[in-house]
Amino acid sequence: MTLDLFPTYRGCMEYFCLGCGQRFPTDELHYTCPECGGVFLLDNILFDELKKTPGTKWRELFDSRAASKRTALRGIFRFYELMAPVLEEEDIIYLGEGNTPIIESSPSLNSQTGLKTAYKNDGQNPSASFKDRGMACGFSYLRSLIRQHDWDQVLTVCASTGDTSAAAALYASYVGDAIKSVVILPHGKVTPAQLAQPLGSGAIVLEVPGVFDDCMKVVEHLADNYRVALLNSKNAWRILGQESYAFECAQWFNWDLKDKCIFVPIGNAGNITAIMAGFLKLHTLDIITNLPRIFGVQSHHADPVYRYYAVDDPNEREYAPVTVSPSVAQAAMIGNPVSFPRVKYFAEKFETIGGKGSFQVIQVSEQQIMDSMIQANRNGHIACTQGGESFAGAKRALELNLVSANELCVLDSTAHQLKFVDFQNMYFDNSFPPEFEIKPDTTLSNKPTLVISPEEKDGLSDADYTRITADKVVAKLGLKKK
Ligand SMILES: *Cc1c(COP(=O)(O)O)cnc(C)c1O
Ligand SMILES: [Zn+2]
């Protein structure tokens, strides 16, 4: 296993339906099960071959690949054999996704919370959210299909709370003519930055009234009746790509996940599925010996997964979609998560190995989400509102005695702070519509101050302008002469 060579191992991927258990080959585009409509997982039926290599060897290989200059191995496909080992090097699209850093909270922030936290900044992906991980895998697979079938154009479609469309449009625009990207957004329910992204990438942007769940129904109708490639997280290739988050966490901590708790906001539940699946894969191959503990986090305004797991006895649990209320964790504001069956599937496996308490779901309030995001970012982080949700989840877990101060809470900031500045502004201006149920701490309010007005500047010489402005700054800050 030499550094920098493209891997020679090839697996054989099949779709595996969580509804009826049937399997389907992956040389055709499938979105959901053609037999029962269930959601798929992707299964490498030659996975057992990988068990012949000891865990230590895998760790060495992945560590050596961390220094690779080969672009196909620099992103999520550093973990090629665990990802989609059917792709050829020419299929793999690398736009700089993955390998996002884990930043430990400052001692000052930790002393405020009594927790030990760190953020994995998935907002440092190319389109500024974790969705790039899944798209890199999904689009690489599409490229391999296009190459093998000689297709001339594929139309990709997705519904989005903002970030899926930004990522899909970015990857589609890189591939060029072979792929045309259409995104369907809930009108007025994505931030200006998230709307600007697919527009800037040249995607066809269609808006519909309603919330994400309404967009999703339209998209599913299209997928059932027309030849389009759907890029929502029902698409199992995206889940596969998002497993890289787990692989990177493990590698960052030198493959030792003892006393690590991973906090993940849940929307459509694709990401938490992928993260659990990824850690389980590492465990099966002896690459890690301890599973971390996984905490899903949901807002009280969109919490169907929390409600399900809030019932302690597994036999009494009943899944029911909820009607969502406005949430600052807008990207997770989903009442009927499509990946719920996947969560159930992996949570059970997780608990079998990790024991009771290795998978849990925490509920937090909108207030706690906003306060936590503001607090994190005033202490050196770049958390989005969903990242605030992760942090709020960790604090809530401490309150409930579910974590202790000697564990490290790794918080997923699923997007970049800058995508969600409008919520920060509402916090600073105290202008949240009542349905958010958020009363900002106005002592944290932060606004720019205009030092000198354009009228005052008018007619001043350059020298006067500099002196007068500087004097005003001095007066404002109370500066002493040196
Ligand atoms: C999509 C998204 C989520 C929700 O992830 P799911 O996989 O749908 O649970 C959370 N945060 C951000 C920023 C997202 O873009
Ligand atoms: Zn099925």
Side-chain angles (χ1 to χ4, degrees):
M1 297 199 284
T2 323
L3 167 73
D4 228 29
L5 284 184
F6 196 77
T8 50
Y9 167 83
R10 291 294 178 274
C12 177
M13 305 300 284
E14 278 184 355
Y15 292 109
F16 161 62
C17 174
L18 283 180
C20 67
Q22 285 199 66
R23 291 173 169 269
F24 300 86
T26 51
D27 57 356
E28 265 302 313
L29 269 179
H30 281 302
Y31 178 60
T32 46
C33 176
E35 293 297 322
C36 79
V39 287
F40 280 138
L41 291 173
L42 280 158
D43 192 19
N44 174 8
I45 56 172
L46 303 178
F47 186 81
D48 280 357
E49 278 181 32
L50 301 176
K51 291 184 186 164
K52 293 180 196 148
T53 303
T56 49
K57 277 273 174 288
W58 284 121
R59 295 202 282 264
E60 279 168 26
L61 175 68
F62 296 142
D63 286 347
S64 72
R65 271 191 207 147
S68 177
K69 297 286 185 289
R70 224 176 170 115
T71 51
L73 296 175
R74 288 190 82 136
I76 61 168
F77 288 102
R78 175 187 296 177
F79 311 97
Y80 177 87
E81 292 86 348
L82 313 188
M83 192 69 64
V86 290
L87 303 177
E88 298 306 322
E89 186 167 12
E90 65 193 286
D91 302 324
I92 290 177
I93 305 173
Y94 172 70
L95 300 183
E97 62 287 332
N99 298 310
T100 56
I102 297 181
I103 307 301
E104 286 186 20
S105 296
S106 65
S108 152
L109 183 57
N110 285 340
S111 72
Q112 291 167 42
T113 57
L115 282 164
K116 218 162 63 180
T117 52
Y119 263 108
K120 184 161 169 66
N121 285 336
D122 251 20
Q124 290 180 253
N125 274 300
S127 81
S129 87
F130 76 81
K131 298 295 200 296
D132 294 325
R133 297 178 180 278
M135 291 301 170
C137 186
F139 274 87
S140 298
Y141 164 67
L142 272 182
R143 268 226 301 212
S144 82
L145 276 186
I146 290 168
R147 176 174 57 77
Q148 289 168 53
H149 292 281
D150 255 333
W151 288 343
D152 53 359
Q153 201 181 56
V154 175
L155 190 71
T156 66
V157 183
C158 66
S160 178
T161 53
D163 294 329
T164 300
S165 50
L170 175 65
Y171 284 80
S173 71
Y174 182 83
V175 175
D177 289 343
I179 293 182
K180 186 88 209 144
S181 167
V182 180
V183 307
I184 302 188
L185 302 175
H187 179 67
K189 299 270 171 21
V190 303
T191 71
Q194 289 170 319
L195 178 58
Q197 287 186 291
L199 291 172
S201 297
I204 299 171
V205 178
L206 306 175
E207 297 189 298
V208 300
V211 294
F212 170 81
D213 295 297
D214 300 301
C215 297
M216 196 64 212
K217 285 177 199 147
V218 175
V219 160
E220 305 223 294
H221 182 83
L222 293 175
D224 289 344
N225 296 288
Y226 300 90
R227 194 182 167 82
V228 292
L230 244 67
L231 289 172
N232 281 98
S233 57
K234 261 192 193 170
N235 183 322
W237 295 91
R238 278 192 45 202
I239 303 294
L240 201 59
Q242 288 169 205
E243 288 179 17
S244 57
Y245 186 95
F247 306 152
E248 289 173 17
C249 275
Q251 189 170 34
W252 187 278
F253 294 115
N254 211 10
W255 313 104
D256 179 8
L257 294 163
K258 195 168 172 311
D259 297 329
K260 307 286 187 304
C261 300
I262 313 280
F263 286 80
V264 187
I266 302 181
N268 235 343
N271 208 29
I272 193 150
T273 296
I275 291 170
M276 283 195 280
F279 283 122
L280 286 166
K281 238 180 224 178
L282 294 177
H283 189 264
T284 307
L285 294 177
D286 284 332
I287 299 172
I288 57 172
T289 45
N290 297 295
L291 288 176
R293 296 201 294 140
I294 307 278
F295 291 83
V297 189
Q298 293 207 295
S299 159
H300 61 143
H301 284 181
D303 60 357
V305 184
Y306 165 75
R307 284 171 193 236
Y308 180 84
Y309 284 102
V311 177
D312 209 40
D313 179 356
N315 300 315
E316 300 281 303
R317 289 175 186 160
E318 243 178 275
Y319 173 75
V322 305
T323 305
V324 297
S325 314
S327 174
V328 295
Q330 202 169 47
M333 199 179 107
I334 293 171
N336 190 14
V338 301
S339 284
F340 181 74
R342 290 168 169 155
V343 173
K344 253 179 76 174
Y345 178 82
F346 285 114
E348 218 176 288
K349 287 188 183 298
F350 220 83
E351 286 197 305
T352 304
I353 299 170
K356 198 167 153 55
S358 58
F359 170 79
Q360 297 175 75
V361 185
I362 305 275
Q363 185 204 46
V364 295
S365 69
E366 290 293 311
Q367 182 75 49
Q368 289 165 331
I369 294 173
M370 265 327 279
D371 291 343
S372 298
M373 181 192 87
I374 300 285
Q375 183 186 26
N377 295 347
R378 288 176 76 95
N379 287 276
H381 291 300
I382 49 171
C384 64
T385 45
Q386 295 69 219
E389 187 173 20
S390 303
F391 190 18
K395 291 193 264 182
R396 181 77 186 126
L398 182 66
E399 260 171 36
L400 297 170
N401 281 318
L402 301 175
V403 294
S404 70
N406 53 34
E407 290 176 291
L408 178 66
C409 299
V410 180
L411 314 173
D412 191 349
S413 181
T414 44
H416 198 285
Q417 171 190 20
L418 292 177
K419 284 208 193 206
F420 294 88
V421 281
D422 294 7
F423 292 116
Q424 177 189 289
N425 292 342
M426 286 189 217
Y427 194 92
F428 289 165
D429 302 342
N430 193 1
S431 62
F432 276 106
E435 55 275 22
F436 282 93
E437 302 179 88
I438 293 171
K439 278 270 154 284
D441 176 351
T442 48
T443 63
L444 299 178
S445 174
N446 203 1
K447 292 189 177 78
T449 316
L450 190 62
V451 176
I452 174 167
S453 70
E455 294 77 43
E456 286 174 279
K457 178 173 186 273
D458 242 12
L460 291 179
S461 71
D462 277 1
D464 283 347
Y465 167 65
T466 306
R467 187 182 42 78
I468 292 169
T469 309
D471 283 349
K472 285 179 186 271
V473 173
V474 168
K476 264 212 167 359
L477 302 178
L479 294 182
K480 300 261 177 318
K481 265 225 157 77
K482 50 177 181 185

